[in-house]
Amino acid sequence: MAMLATANGAMTFYLSVVNKMLNNFGGPIATSTIVGLYMIYGLLAYYIIRKPGTAVITYSIGALVQSFIGSAYGLASIIVAALCYMVVLEGLCWITRYNKWNLTFMLIAGAALVPLWFVFAAQMFGYTAWGWPVLISAFVTRVISGAVLCGWLTKVLGDGLIRTGLLKRYRSSEQPLEV
């Protein structure tokens, strides 16, 4: 969990630069395309460990690391985003009793991480000034990014790690890979 959170903290620092460049080229819709990458570390940790509290610990460590590294969006955004992600992911995993890890669940989980944070971010960063067409387009783009760049990519990375045998100590290696 700590390794994934630390790697994400470093990656987020560089993603914010990419995000600002995307904003210059395509505004809120372009920046929405990479949102799934910001959330991947917590879902990947859960995919590997599959135990209650994984999201709380992983996203908390990630927020701490990002706080030390810095963010173009400020400390409040780091903390609120981490809280939103952990609440949603812990809830989803609890609903499935930590036993549903097929591609469908992963796509849903990646997409589900978006809405709560989007509501908070809209208030924090003034997204509501975009107007309804842009706001809806950005939201839909973020949900798709969450499903693909967080959900699908987590499934691919997690299954790849399981196949290497590096995760033999974890619950994910005890269960057969699901499509």
Side-chain angles (χ1 to χ4, degrees):
M1 289 185 283
M3 285 183 3
L4 288 171
T6 302
N8 183 76
M11 180 183 75
T12 299
F13 178 78
Y14 295 104
L15 271 180
S16 63
V17 174
V18 172
N19 203 29
K20 288 198 179 274
M21 286 189 309
L22 286 170
N23 189 48
N24 290 336
F25 293 117
I29 307 304
T31 62
S32 297
T33 61
I34 64 168
V35 163
L37 295 174
Y38 286 97
M39 308 174 294
I40 194 169
Y41 70 107
L43 186 56
L44 183 56
Y46 234 129
Y47 188 75
I48 292 167
I49 297 169
R50 301 180 185 190
K51 290 185 180 179
T54 300
V56 171
I57 295 168
T58 307
Y59 284 123
S60 294
I61 294 170
L64 183 65
V65 170
Q66 287 177 42
S67 298
F68 287 124
I69 292 174
S71 167
Y73 306 105
L75 182 61
S77 70
I78 293 169
I79 294 167
V80 174
L83 288 169
C84 289
Y85 299 153
M86 68 177 71
V87 165
V88 170
L89 192 51
E90 289 292 346
L92 280 173
C93 292
W94 178 81
I95 288 169
T96 65
R97 301 292 186 247
Y98 313 94
N99 289 319
K100 195 77 167 162
W101 301 102
N102 61 22
L103 181 59
T104 301
F105 173 76
M106 298 303 286
L107 292 171
I108 290 169
L113 288 169
V114 172
L116 184 58
W117 168 236
F118 189 81
V119 169
F120 280 97
Q123 299 307 311
M124 293 173 79
F125 302 123
Y127 296 174
T128 53
W130 294 345
W132 284 107
V134 174
L135 194 63
I136 291 168
S137 296
F139 177 75
V140 169
T141 303
R142 287 173 187 228
V143 168
I144 292 168
S145 176
V148 174
L149 294 180
C150 184
W152 177 78
L153 191 54
T154 292
K155 179 78 170 139
V156 169
L157 292 171
D159 288 352
L161 286 169
I162 291 167
R163 283 189 198 98
T164 67
L166 293 171
L167 304 177
K168 288 183 181 175
R169 315 178 351 192
Y170 298 100
R171 193 167 165 219
S172 56
S173 67
E174 297 169 4
Q175 298 171 339
L177 296 177
E178 300 176 57
V179 177

